[in-house]
Amino acid sequence: QKSKANDAQAKELARTAQTTAETIATDNNGSYSTLSQTELSKYEKSIPVSASEGTACTGSTTCIKSAKGTGTGYEVVAESPVTKDTFTIKDLEGVITRECVASGSNKGGCPNSTW
């Protein structure tokens, strides 16, 4: 149960990053090309990010492990520091998908690769 709670925090953070990515695109004529970890935390100070793009979260704080965009879409990845499970939201030209990767045998909030 505890792993599900930890994963729930990562899912919530991914959704916050998704909303922030949409705000960034609105401010950039619909383009997500400026989306990055730095840009996310600039727009929304409450979003913690990893030390550098793609690196694992450290300590006990859930964070955005990766954030990147193109002119027509984006991908944000949140990681639970306890379970190391990752939760991804992708928008590819208006088609939104949610994927997750469980790091161990305890699937927690990621029982089947989607959420």
Side-chain angles (χ1 to χ4, degrees), residues 26-96:
T26 298
D27 289 351
N28 289 280
N29 298 316
S31 174
Y32 301 95
S33 62
T34 62
L35 180 64
S36 66
Q37 290 178 304
T38 303
E39 205 63 14
L40 276 177
S41 61
K42 187 187 310 179
Y43 269 76
E44 179 54 63
K45 304 275 189 244
S46 68
I47 295 180
V49 296
S50 64
S52 62
E53 178 70 28
T55 62
C57 300
T58 57
S60 61
T61 303
T62 300
C63 79
I64 296 297
K65 181 177 180 174
S66 176
K68 53 191 169 192
T70 66
T72 58
Y74 64 86
E75 176 181 293
V76 293
V77 181
E79 180 182 74
S80 169
V82 176
T83 64
K84 295 298 182 194
D85 294 347
T86 59
F87 297 88
T88 303
I89 297 178
K90 293 181 185 178
D91 180 339
L92 301 174
E93 298 183 0
V95 177
I96 296 174

CSV table of all heavy atoms in Angstrom, one decimal, residues 26-96:
chain,number,residue,atom,x,y,z
A,26,THR,N,0.9,27.8,-24.4
A,26,THR,CA,0.0,29.0,-24.6
A,26,THR,C,0.8,30.3,-24.7
A,26,THR,O,0.5,31.1,-25.6
A,26,THR,CB,-1.0,29.1,-23.4
A,26,THR,OG1,-1.8,27.9,-23.4
A,26,THR,CG2,-1.9,30.3,-23.6
A,27,ASP,N,1.8,30.4,-23.9
A,27,ASP,CA,2.7,31.6,-23.9
A,27,ASP,C,3.6,31.6,-25.1
A,27,ASP,O,4.3,32.6,-25.3
A,27,ASP,CB,3.5,31.7,-22.6
A,27,ASP,CG,2.6,32.1,-21.4
A,27,ASP,OD1,1.4,32.4,-21.6
A,27,ASP,OD2,3.1,32.0,-20.3
A,28,ASN,N,3.7,30.5,-25.8
A,28,ASN,CA,4.6,30.4,-27.0
A,28,ASN,C,3.9,30.0,-28.3
A,28,ASN,O,4.4,29.2,-29.1
A,28,ASN,CB,5.8,29.4,-26.6
A,28,ASN,CG,6.7,29.9,-25.6
A,28,ASN,OD1,7.6,30.7,-25.9
A,28,ASN,ND2,6.5,29.5,-24.4
A,29,ASN,N,2.8,30.6,-28.5
A,29,ASN,CA,2.0,30.4,-29.7
A,29,ASN,C,1.7,29.0,-30.0
A,29,ASN,O,1.7,28.6,-31.2
A,29,ASN,CB,2.7,31.1,-30.9
A,29,ASN,CG,2.8,32.6,-30.7
A,29,ASN,OD1,1.9,33.2,-30.3
A,29,ASN,ND2,4.0,33.1,-31.0
A,30,GLY,N,1.4,28.2,-29.0
A,30,GLY,CA,1.1,26.8,-29.2
A,30,GLY,C,2.2,25.8,-29.3
A,30,GLY,O,2.1,24.6,-29.4
A,31,SER,N,3.5,26.3,-29.2
A,31,SER,CA,4.7,25.5,-29.3
A,31,SER,C,5.2,25.0,-28.0
A,31,SER,O,5.2,25.8,-27.0
A,31,SER,CB,5.8,26.2,-30.0
A,31,SER,OG,7.0,25.4,-30.1
A,32,TYR,N,5.5,23.7,-27.9
A,32,TYR,CA,6.1,23.2,-26.7
A,32,TYR,C,7.6,23.2,-26.7
A,32,TYR,O,8.3,22.6,-25.8
A,32,TYR,CB,5.6,21.7,-26.5
A,32,TYR,CG,4.1,21.6,-26.4
A,32,TYR,CD1,3.4,21.3,-27.5
A,32,TYR,CD2,3.5,21.8,-25.1
A,32,TYR,CE1,2.0,21.2,-27.4
A,32,TYR,CE2,2.1,21.7,-25.0
A,32,TYR,CZ,1.4,21.4,-26.1
A,32,TYR,OH,0.0,21.3,-26.0
A,33,SER,N,8.2,23.7,-27.8
A,33,SER,CA,9.6,23.6,-28.0
A,33,SER,C,10.5,24.1,-26.9
A,33,SER,O,11.7,23.7,-26.8
A,33,SER,CB,10.0,24.2,-29.4
A,33,SER,OG,9.8,25.6,-29.3
A,34,THR,N,10.1,25.1,-26.1
A,34,THR,CA,10.9,25.6,-25.0
A,34,THR,C,10.7,24.8,-23.7
A,34,THR,O,11.4,25.1,-22.7
A,34,THR,CB,10.5,27.0,-24.7
A,34,THR,OG1,9.2,27.1,-24.2
A,34,THR,CG2,10.7,27.9,-25.9
A,35,LEU,N,9.9,23.7,-23.7
A,35,LEU,CA,9.7,22.9,-22.5
A,35,LEU,C,11.0,22.2,-22.1
A,35,LEU,O,11.6,21.6,-22.9
A,35,LEU,CB,8.6,21.9,-22.8
A,35,LEU,CG,8.3,21.0,-21.6
A,35,LEU,CD1,7.7,21.8,-20.4
A,35,LEU,CD2,7.3,19.9,-22.0
A,36,SER,N,11.3,22.4,-20.8
A,36,SER,CA,12.4,21.8,-20.2
A,36,SER,C,12.2,21.7,-18.7
A,36,SER,O,11.2,22.3,-18.2
A,36,SER,CB,13.7,22.5,-20.5
A,36,SER,OG,13.7,23.8,-19.8
A,37,GLN,N,13.0,21.0,-18.0
A,37,GLN,CA,12.9,21.0,-16.5
A,37,GLN,C,13.0,22.4,-16.0
A,37,GLN,O,12.3,22.8,-15.1
A,37,GLN,CB,14.0,20.2,-15.9
A,37,GLN,CG,13.8,18.7,-16.1
A,37,GLN,CD,15.0,17.9,-15.5
A,37,GLN,OE1,16.1,18.2,-15.8
A,37,GLN,NE2,14.6,17.0,-14.7
A,38,THR,N,14.0,23.2,-16.5
A,38,THR,CA,14.2,24.6,-16.0
A,38,THR,C,13.0,25.4,-16.3
A,38,THR,O,12.5,26.2,-15.4
A,38,THR,CB,15.4,25.2,-16.7
A,38,THR,OG1,16.6,24.4,-16.5
A,38,THR,CG2,15.7,26.6,-16.3
A,39,GLU,N,12.4,25.3,-17.5
A,39,GLU,CA,11.2,26.1,-17.8
A,39,GLU,C,10.0,25.7,-16.9
A,39,GLU,O,9.3,26.5,-16.5
A,39,GLU,CB,10.9,25.9,-19.3
A,39,GLU,CG,10.1,27.0,-19.9
A,39,GLU,CD,10.8,28.3,-20.0
A,39,GLU,OE1,12.1,28.4,-19.7
A,39,GLU,OE2,10.1,29.3,-20.3
A,40,LEU,N,9.8,24.4,-16.7
A,40,LEU,CA,8.8,24.0,-15.8
A,40,LEU,C,8.9,24.6,-14.4
A,40,LEU,O,7.9,25.1,-13.9
A,40,LEU,CB,8.8,22.4,-15.6
A,40,LEU,CG,8.1,21.6,-16.7
A,40,LEU,CD1,8.3,20.1,-16.3
A,40,LEU,CD2,6.6,21.9,-16.8
A,41,SER,N,10.1,24.5,-13.8
A,41,SER,CA,10.2,25.1,-12.5
A,41,SER,C,10.2,26.6,-12.5
A,41,SER,O,9.8,27.2,-11.5
A,41,SER,CB,11.5,24.6,-11.8
A,41,SER,OG,12.6,24.9,-12.5
A,42,LYS,N,10.5,27.2,-13.6
A,42,LYS,CA,10.3,28.7,-13.7
A,42,LYS,C,8.9,29.1,-13.7
A,42,LYS,O,8.5,30.0,-13.0
A,42,LYS,CB,11.0,29.2,-15.0
A,42,LYS,CG,11.1,30.7,-15.1
A,42,LYS,CD,11.6,31.2,-16.4
A,42,LYS,CE,12.8,30.6,-16.9
A,42,LYS,NZ,13.3,31.1,-18.2
A,43,TYR,N,8.0,28.3,-14.4
A,43,TYR,CA,6.6,28.6,-14.5
A,43,TYR,C,5.9,28.2,-13.2
A,43,TYR,O,5.0,28.9,-12.8
A,43,TYR,CB,6.0,27.9,-15.7
A,43,TYR,CG,6.0,28.7,-16.9
A,43,TYR,CD1,7.1,28.9,-17.7
A,43,TYR,CD2,4.8,29.3,-17.4
A,43,TYR,CE1,7.1,29.6,-18.9
A,43,TYR,CE2,4.8,30.0,-18.6
A,43,TYR,CZ,5.9,30.2,-19.3
A,43,TYR,OH,5.9,30.9,-20.5
A,44,GLU,N,6.3,27.1,-12.6
A,44,GLU,CA,5.6,26.6,-11.4
A,44,GLU,C,6.7,26.2,-10.4
A,44,GLU,O,7.3,25.2,-10.5
A,44,GLU,CB,4.7,25.4,-11.8
A,44,GLU,CG,4.0,24.7,-10.6
A,44,GLU,CD,3.2,25.7,-9.9
A,44,GLU,OE1,2.2,26.3,-10.4
A,44,GLU,OE2,3.5,26.0,-8.7
A,45,LYS,N,6.9,27.1,-9.5
A,45,LYS,CA,8.0,27.0,-8.5
A,45,LYS,C,7.8,25.7,-7.6
A,45,LYS,O,8.8,25.2,-7.1
A,45,LYS,CB,8.0,28.2,-7.6
A,45,LYS,CG,8.2,29.5,-8.3
A,45,LYS,CD,9.6,29.8,-8.6
A,45,LYS,CE,9.8,31.2,-9.2
A,45,LYS,NZ,10.3,31.2,-10.5
A,46,SER,N,6.6,25.2,-7.5
A,46,SER,CA,6.4,24.0,-6.6
A,46,SER,C,6.8,22.7,-7.3
A,46,SER,O,6.8,21.7,-6.7
A,46,SER,CB,4.9,23.9,-6.2
A,46,SER,OG,4.1,23.6,-7.4
A,47,ILE,N,7.2,22.8,-8.6
A,47,ILE,CA,7.7,21.5,-9.2
A,47,ILE,C,9.1,21.3,-9.0
A,47,ILE,O,10.0,22.0,-9.5
A,47,ILE,CB,7.4,21.6,-10.8
A,47,ILE,CG1,5.9,21.7,-11.0
A,47,ILE,CG2,8.0,20.4,-11.5
A,47,ILE,CD1,5.5,21.8,-12.5
A,48,PRO,N,9.4,20.2,-8.2
A,48,PRO,CA,10.8,19.9,-8.0
A,48,PRO,C,11.4,19.1,-9.3
A,48,PRO,O,10.6,18.3,-9.9
A,48,PRO,CB,10.8,19.0,-6.8
A,48,PRO,CG,9.4,18.4,-6.7
A,48,PRO,CD,8.5,19.4,-7.4
A,49,VAL,N,12.6,19.3,-9.6
A,49,VAL,CA,13.2,18.6,-10.8
A,49,VAL,C,14.5,18.0,-10.3
A,49,VAL,O,15.1,18.3,-9.3
A,49,VAL,CB,13.5,19.6,-11.9
A,49,VAL,CG1,12.2,20.2,-12.5
A,49,VAL,CG2,14.4,20.7,-11.5
A,50,SER,N,14.9,17.0,-11.1
A,50,SER,CA,16.2,16.3,-10.8
A,50,SER,C,17.4,17.2,-11.1
A,50,SER,O,17.2,18.3,-11.7
A,50,SER,CB,16.3,15.0,-11.6
A,50,SER,OG,16.4,15.2,-13.0
A,51,ALA,N,18.5,16.8,-10.6
A,51,ALA,CA,19.7,17.6,-10.8
A,51,ALA,C,20.0,18.0,-12.2
A,51,ALA,O,20.4,19.1,-12.5
A,51,ALA,CB,20.9,17.0,-10.2
A,52,SER,N,19.8,17.1,-13.2
A,52,SER,CA,19.9,17.4,-14.6
A,52,SER,C,19.0,16.5,-15.4
A,52,SER,O,18.6,15.4,-14.9
A,52,SER,CB,21.4,17.2,-15.0
A,52,SER,OG,21.8,15.9,-14.8
A,53,GLU,N,18.7,16.8,-16.6
A,53,GLU,CA,17.8,16.1,-17.4
A,53,GLU,C,18.1,14.6,-17.5
A,53,GLU,O,19.2,14.2,-17.8
A,53,GLU,CB,17.8,16.7,-18.9
A,53,GLU,CG,16.9,16.0,-19.9
A,53,GLU,CD,15.5,16.3,-19.6
A,53,GLU,OE1,15.1,17.3,-19.1
A,53,GLU,OE2,14.7,15.4,-20.0
A,54,GLY,N,17.1,13.8,-17.1
A,54,GLY,CA,17.2,12.4,-17.2
A,54,GLY,C,17.9,11.7,-16.1
A,54,GLY,O,17.9,10.5,-16.0
A,55,THR,N,18.4,12.4,-15.1
A,55,THR,CA,19.0,11.8,-13.9
A,55,THR,C,17.9,11.5,-12.9
A,55,THR,O,16.9,12.1,-12.8
A,55,THR,CB,20.1,12.6,-13.3
A,55,THR,OG1,19.5,13.9,-12.8
A,55,THR,CG2,21.2,12.9,-14.3
A,56,ALA,N,18.2,10.5,-12.1
A,56,ALA,CA,17.3,10.1,-11.0
A,56,ALA,C,17.0,11.1,-10.0
A,56,ALA,O,17.9,12.0,-9.7
A,56,ALA,CB,17.8,8.8,-10.4
A,57,CYS,N,15.9,11.1,-9.4
A,57,CYS,CA,15.6,11.9,-8.3
A,57,CYS,C,16.4,11.5,-7.1
A,57,CYS,O,16.6,10.3,-6.9
A,57,CYS,CB,14.1,11.9,-7.9
A,57,CYS,SG,13.0,12.4,-9.3
A,58,THR,N,16.8,12.4,-6.2
A,58,THR,CA,17.5,12.0,-5.0
A,58,THR,C,16.7,12.4,-3.8
A,58,THR,O,15.8,13.2,-3.8
A,58,THR,CB,18.9,12.7,-5.0
A,58,THR,OG1,18.7,14.1,-5.1
A,58,THR,CG2,19.7,12.3,-6.2
A,59,GLY,N,17.1,11.9,-2.7
A,59,GLY,CA,16.5,12.2,-1.4
A,59,GLY,C,15.1,11.5,-1.4
A,59,GLY,O,14.8,10.5,-2.0
A,60,SER,N,14.2,12.2,-0.7
A,60,SER,CA,12.8,11.6,-0.5
A,60,SER,C,11.7,12.4,-1.2
A,60,SER,O,10.6,12.2,-1.0
A,60,SER,CB,12.5,11.5,1.0
A,60,SER,OG,12.5,12.8,1.6
A,61,THR,N,12.1,13.3,-2.1
A,61,THR,CA,11.2,14.1,-2.8
A,61,THR,C,10.9,13.6,-4.2
A,61,THR,O,11.8,13.4,-5.0
A,61,THR,CB,11.7,15.6,-2.9
A,61,THR,OG1,12.0,16.1,-1.6
A,61,THR,CG2,10.7,16.5,-3.6
A,62,THR,N,9.6,13.4,-4.5
A,62,THR,CA,9.2,13.1,-5.9
A,62,THR,C,9.6,14.2,-6.8
A,62,THR,O,9.5,15.4,-6.4
A,62,THR,CB,7.7,12.9,-5.9
A,62,THR,OG1,7.4,11.8,-5.0
A,62,THR,CG2,7.2,12.5,-7.3
A,63,CYS,N,10.1,13.9,-8.0
A,63,CYS,CA,10.5,15.0,-8.9
A,63,CYS,C,10.3,14.7,-10.3
A,63,CYS,O,9.9,13.6,-10.7
A,63,CYS,CB,12.0,15.4,-8.6
A,63,CYS,SG,13.2,14.2,-9.4
A,64,ILE,N,10.4,15.7,-11.1
A,64,ILE,CA,10.3,15.6,-12.6
A,64,ILE,C,11.7,15.2,-13.0
A,64,ILE,O,12.7,15.9,-12.9
A,64,ILE,CB,9.9,16.9,-13.3
A,64,ILE,CG1,8.5,17.2,-12.9
A,64,ILE,CG2,10.0,16.7,-14.8
A,64,ILE,CD1,7.4,16.2,-13.3
A,65,LYS,N,11.8,14.0,-13.6
A,65,LYS,CA,13.1,13.4,-14.0
A,65,LYS,C,13.5,13.9,-15.4
A,65,LYS,O,14.7,14.1,-15.8
A,65,LYS,CB,13.0,11.9,-14.0
A,65,LYS,CG,14.2,11.2,-14.4
A,65,LYS,CD,14.0,9.7,-14.3
A,65,LYS,CE,15.3,8.9,-14.7
A,65,LYS,NZ,15.1,7.5,-14.5
A,66,SER,N,12.5,14.2,-16.2
A,66,SER,CA,12.7,14.6,-17.6
A,66,SER,C,11.5,15.5,-18.1
A,66,SER,O,10.4,15.2,-17.8
A,66,SER,CB,12.9,13.4,-18.5
A,66,SER,OG,13.0,13.8,-19.9
A,67,ALA,N,11.8,16.5,-18.9
A,67,ALA,CA,10.7,17.3,-19.5
A,67,ALA,C,11.3,17.8,-20.9
A,67,ALA,O,12.4,18.4,-20.9
A,67,ALA,CB,10.3,18.4,-18.7
A,68,LYS,N,10.6,17.5,-21.9
A,68,LYS,CA,11.1,18.0,-23.2
A,68,LYS,C,9.9,18.2,-24.2
A,68,LYS,O,8.9,17.5,-24.0
A,68,LYS,CB,12.1,17.0,-23.8
A,68,LYS,CG,11.7,15.6,-23.9
A,68,LYS,CD,12.8,14.6,-24.3
A,68,LYS,CE,12.4,13.2,-24.1
A,68,LYS,NZ,13.5,12.3,-24.1
A,69,GLY,N,10.1,19.1,-25.1
A,69,GLY,CA,9.0,19.4,-26.0
A,69,GLY,C,9.5,19.6,-27.4
A,69,GLY,O,10.7,19.8,-27.7
A,70,THR,N,8.5,19.6,-28.3
A,70,THR,CA,8.8,19.9,-29.7
A,70,THR,C,7.7,21.0,-30.1
A,70,THR,O,7.0,21.5,-29.2
A,70,THR,CB,8.6,18.7,-30.7
A,70,THR,OG1,7.2,18.3,-30.6
A,70,THR,CG2,9.5,17.5,-30.2
A,71,GLY,N,7.7,21.3,-31.3
A,71,GLY,CA,6.7,22.3,-31.8
A,71,GLY,C,5.2,21.8,-31.5
A,71,GLY,O,4.3,22.6,-31.3
A,72,THR,N,5.0,20.5,-31.6
A,72,THR,CA,3.6,20.0,-31.5
A,72,THR,C,3.4,19.0,-30.4
A,72,THR,O,2.3,18.4,-30.3
A,72,THR,CB,3.3,19.3,-32.9
A,72,THR,OG1,4.2,18.2,-33.1
A,72,THR,CG2,3.3,20.3,-34.0
A,73,GLY,N,4.3,18.8,-29.5
A,73,GLY,CA,4.1,17.8,-28.4
A,73,GLY,C,5.1,17.9,-27.4
A,73,GLY,O,6.1,18.7,-27.4
A,74,TYR,N,4.9,17.1,-26.3
A,74,TYR,CA,5.8,17.1,-25.2
A,74,TYR,C,5.8,15.8,-24.5
A,74,TYR,O,4.9,14.9,-24.7
A,74,TYR,CB,5.5,18.2,-24.2
A,74,TYR,CG,4.1,18.0,-23.6
A,74,TYR,CD1,4.0,17.2,-22.4
A,74,TYR,CD2,3.0,18.6,-24.1
A,74,TYR,CE1,2.7,17.1,-21.8
A,74,TYR,CE2,1.8,18.4,-23.5
A,74,TYR,CZ,1.6,17.6,-22.4
A,74,TYR,OH,0.4,17.4,-21.8
A,75,GLU,N,6.8,15.6,-23.6
A,75,GLU,CA,6.8,14.5,-22.7
A,75,GLU,C,7.4,14.9,-21.3
A,75,GLU,O,8.4,15.6,-21.3
A,75,GLU,CB,7.8,13.4,-23.3
A,75,GLU,CG,8.0,12.2,-22.4
A,75,GLU,CD,9.0,11.2,-23.0
A,75,GLU,OE1,8.6,10.6,-24.0
A,75,GLU,OE2,10.1,11.0,-22.4
A,76,VAL,N,6.7,14.6,-20.3
A,76,VAL,CA,7.1,14.8,-18.9
A,76,VAL,C,7.2,13.5,-18.2
A,76,VAL,O,6.3,12.6,-18.4
A,76,VAL,CB,6.2,15.8,-18.2
A,76,VAL,CG1,6.4,17.2,-18.8
A,76,VAL,CG2,4.8,15.4,-18.1
A,77,VAL,N,8.3,13.3,-17.4
A,77,VAL,CA,8.5,12.1,-16.6
A,77,VAL,C,8.7,12.4,-15.2
A,77,VAL,O,9.6,13.1,-14.8
A,77,VAL,CB,9.7,11.3,-17.2
A,77,VAL,CG1,9.8,10.0,-16.4
A,77,VAL,CG2,9.5,11.0,-18.7
A,78,ALA,N,7.8,11.9,-14.3
A,78,ALA,CA,7.9,12.0,-12.9
A,78,ALA,C,8.4,10.7,-12.3
A,78,ALA,O,8.1,9.6,-12.8
A,78,ALA,CB,6.6,12.4,-12.2
A,79,GLU,N,9.3,10.8,-11.2
A,79,GLU,CA,9.8,9.6,-10.6
A,79,GLU,C,9.5,9.7,-9.1
A,79,GLU,O,9.7,10.7,-8.5
A,79,GLU,CB,11.3,9.5,-10.9
A,79,GLU,CG,11.9,8.3,-10.2
A,79,GLU,CD,13.4,8.3,-10.4
A,79,GLU,OE1,14.2,9.0,-9.8
A,79,GLU,OE2,13.9,7.5,-11.3
A,80,SER,N,9.1,8.5,-8.6
A,80,SER,CA,9.0,8.3,-7.2
A,80,SER,C,10.3,8.0,-6.6
A,80,SER,O,10.9,7.0,-7.0
A,80,SER,CB,8.0,7.2,-6.8
A,80,SER,OG,8.0,6.9,-5.5
A,81,PRO,N,10.9,8.7,-5.7
A,81,PRO,CA,12.2,8.4,-5.2
A,81,PRO,C,12.3,7.2,-4.3
A,81,PRO,O,13.3,6.5,-4.2
A,81,PRO,CB,12.6,9.6,-4.3
A,81,PRO,CG,11.3,10.2,-3.9
A,81,PRO,CD,10.3,9.9,-5.0
A,82,VAL,N,11.1,6.8,-3.8
A,82,VAL,CA,11.1,5.6,-2.9
A,82,VAL,C,11.0,4.3,-3.8
A,82,VAL,O,11.8,3.4,-3.6
A,82,VAL,CB,9.9,5.6,-1.9
A,82,VAL,CG1,9.8,4.4,-1.1
A,82,VAL,CG2,10.0,6.9,-1.0
A,83,THR,N,10.1,4.2,-4.7
A,83,THR,CA,9.9,3.0,-5.5
A,83,THR,C,10.8,3.0,-6.8
A,83,THR,O,11.0,2.0,-7.4
A,83,THR,CB,8.4,2.9,-5.9
A,83,THR,OG1,8.1,4.0,-6.8
A,83,THR,CG2,7.5,2.8,-4.8
A,84,LYS,N,11.2,4.2,-7.2
A,84,LYS,CA,11.9,4.5,-8.5
A,84,LYS,C,11.0,4.2,-9.7
A,84,LYS,O,11.5,4.1,-10.8
A,84,LYS,CB,13.2,3.6,-8.5
A,84,LYS,CG,14.3,4.1,-7.5
A,84,LYS,CD,14.7,5.5,-7.7
A,84,LYS,CE,15.8,5.9,-6.7
A,84,LYS,NZ,15.9,7.3,-6.7
A,85,ASP,N,9.7,4.1,-9.5
A,85,ASP,CA,8.8,3.9,-10.6
A,85,ASP,C,8.7,5.3,-11.3
A,85,ASP,O,8.8,6.3,-10.7
A,85,ASP,CB,7.4,3.5,-10.1
A,85,ASP,CG,7.4,2.1,-9.5
A,85,ASP,OD1,8.4,1.4,-9.6
A,85,ASP,OD2,6.4,1.8,-8.8
A,86,THR,N,8.5,5.2,-12.6
A,86,THR,CA,8.4,6.5,-13.4
A,86,THR,C,7.0,6.5,-14.0
A,86,THR,O,6.5,5.5,-14.4
A,86,THR,CB,9.5,6.6,-14.5
A,86,THR,OG1,9.4,5.5,-15.3
A,86,THR,CG2,10.9,6.7,-13.8
A,87,PHE,N,6.5,7.8,-14.1
A,87,PHE,CA,5.2,8.0,-14.7
A,87,PHE,C,5.3,9.1,-15.8
A,87,PHE,O,5.8,10.2,-15.5
A,87,PHE,CB,4.2,8.4,-13.6
A,87,PHE,CG,4.0,7.3,-12.6
A,87,PHE,CD1,4.9,7.2,-11.5
A,87,PHE,CD2,3.1,6.4,-12.8
A,87,PHE,CE1,4.7,6.1,-10.6
A,87,PHE,CE2,2.9,5.3,-11.9
A,87,PHE,CZ,3.8,5.2,-10.8
A,88,THR,N,5.0,8.7,-17.0
A,88,THR,CA,5.2,9.6,-18.2
A,88,THR,C,3.8,10.0,-18.7
A,88,THR,O,2.9,9.2,-18.9
A,88,THR,CB,6.0,8.9,-19.2
A,88,THR,OG1,7.2,8.4,-18.7
A,88,THR,CG2,6.2,9.7,-20.5
A,89,ILE,N,3.7,11.3,-19.1
A,89,ILE,CA,2.6,11.8,-19.9
A,89,ILE,C,3.2,12.4,-21.2
A,89,ILE,O,4.1,13.2,-21.1
A,89,ILE,CB,1.8,12.9,-19.1
A,89,ILE,CG1,1.2,12.4,-17.8
A,89,ILE,CG2,0.7,13.5,-20.0
A,89,ILE,CD1,0.5,13.4,-17.0
A,90,LYS,N,2.7,11.9,-22.3
A,90,LYS,CA,3.1,12.3,-23.6
A,90,LYS,C,1.9,13.0,-24.3
A,90,LYS,O,0.8,12.4,-24.3
A,90,LYS,CB,3.6,11.2,-24.4
A,90,LYS,CG,4.9,10.5,-23.9
A,90,LYS,CD,5.3,9.4,-24.9
A,90,LYS,CE,6.5,8.6,-24.3
A,90,LYS,NZ,6.8,7.5,-25.2
A,91,ASP,N,2.2,14.0,-25.0
A,91,ASP,CA,1.2,14.6,-25.9
A,91,ASP,C,1.9,14.7,-27.3
A,91,ASP,O,2.8,15.5,-27.5
A,91,ASP,CB,0.8,16.0,-25.5
A,91,ASP,CG,-0.2,16.7,-26.4
A,91,ASP,OD1,-0.3,16.3,-27.6
A,91,ASP,OD2,-0.9,17.6,-26.0
A,92,LEU,N,1.5,13.8,-28.2
A,92,LEU,CA,2.0,13.7,-29.5
A,92,LEU,C,1.0,14.3,-30.5
A,92,LEU,O,0.0,13.5,-30.8
A,92,LEU,CB,2.5,12.3,-29.9
A,92,LEU,CG,3.5,11.7,-29.0
A,92,LEU,CD1,3.8,10.3,-29.3
A,92,LEU,CD2,4.8,12.5,-29.0
A,93,GLU,N,1.1,15.5,-30.9
A,93,GLU,CA,0.1,16.2,-31.8
A,93,GLU,C,-1.3,16.0,-31.3
A,93,GLU,O,-2.2,15.7,-32.1
A,93,GLU,CB,0.3,15.7,-33.2
A,93,GLU,CG,1.7,16.0,-33.7
A,93,GLU,CD,2.0,15.6,-35.2
A,93,GLU,OE1,1.1,15.0,-35.8
A,93,GLU,OE2,3.1,15.8,-35.6
A,94,GLY,N,-1.5,16.2,-30.0
A,94,GLY,CA,-2.9,16.2,-29.5
A,94,GLY,C,-3.3,14.8,-28.9
A,94,GLY,O,-4.4,14.7,-28.3
A,95,VAL,N,-2.6,13.8,-29.1
A,95,VAL,CA,-2.9,12.5,-28.6
A,95,VAL,C,-2.1,12.3,-27.3
A,95,VAL,O,-0.9,12.2,-27.3
A,95,VAL,CB,-2.6,11.3,-29.6
A,95,VAL,CG1,-2.9,10.0,-29.0
A,95,VAL,CG2,-3.3,11.5,-30.9
A,96,ILE,N,-2.9,12.2,-26.2
A,96,ILE,CA,-2.2,12.1,-24.9
A,96,ILE,C,-2.2,10.7,-24.4
A,96,ILE,O,-3.2,10.0,-24.4
A,96,ILE,CB,-2.9,13.0,-23.9
A,96,ILE,CG1,-2.8,14.5,-24.3
A,96,ILE,CG2,-2.4,12.8,-22.5
A,96,ILE,CD1,-3.6,15.5,-23.5
